[in-house]
């Protein structure tokens, strides 16, 4: 197997646990690319790509959003909103 960690890399604890299980690890860093991001935005705008949102939280409830994310029971993205 292979664990790829995006964007922060592979922690030493994860690398050690993976090695004990016979699994390789690899970090992956993706640099922003204006052309690709514009193409992706076009796909989203056209409806070809849809983002599933599990729940939206006001920024003041960021801690609750974080707790929900830690349950590993979300099916879509958790979104923080601001009033600006």
């Amino acid at each position: 197997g292979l664990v790829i960690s995006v964007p922060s890399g592979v922690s030493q604890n994860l690398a050690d646990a993976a090695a004990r299980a016979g699994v390789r690890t690899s970090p992956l860093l993706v640099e922003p690319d204006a052309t690709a991001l514009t193409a992706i935005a076009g796909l989203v705008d056209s409806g070809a790509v849809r983002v599933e949102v599990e729940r939206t939280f006001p920024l003041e409830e960021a801690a609750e959003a974080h707790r929900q994310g830690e349950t590993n029971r979300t099916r879509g993205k958790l979104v923080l909103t601001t009033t600006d």
Side-chain angles (χ1 to χ4, degrees):
L2 173 63
V3 174
I4 298 176
S5 182
V6 178
S8 59
V10 179
S11 72
Q12 192 58 53
N13 287 341
L14 177 58
D16 292 345
R20 286 191 299 275
V23 175
R24 296 178 301 134
T25 60
S26 177
L28 177 66
L29 179 62
V30 178
E31 294 293 330
D33 173 323
T35 303
L37 291 174
T38 300
I40 292 168
L43 291 170
V44 172
D45 289 344
S46 74
V49 173
R50 194 177 129 258
V51 177
E52 187 169 341
V53 175
E54 171 80 17
R55 187 167 165 201
T56 301
F57 296 86
L59 184 59
E60 296 77 23
E61 294 179 23
E64 177 57 29
H66 187 54
R67 280 190 288 277
Q68 183 169 339
E70 287 181 326
T71 68
N72 294 322
R73 295 182 185 272
T74 58
R75 185 169 166 91
K77 300 295 183 185
L78 300 175
V79 178
L80 297 176
T81 60
T82 64
T83 57
D84 293 341

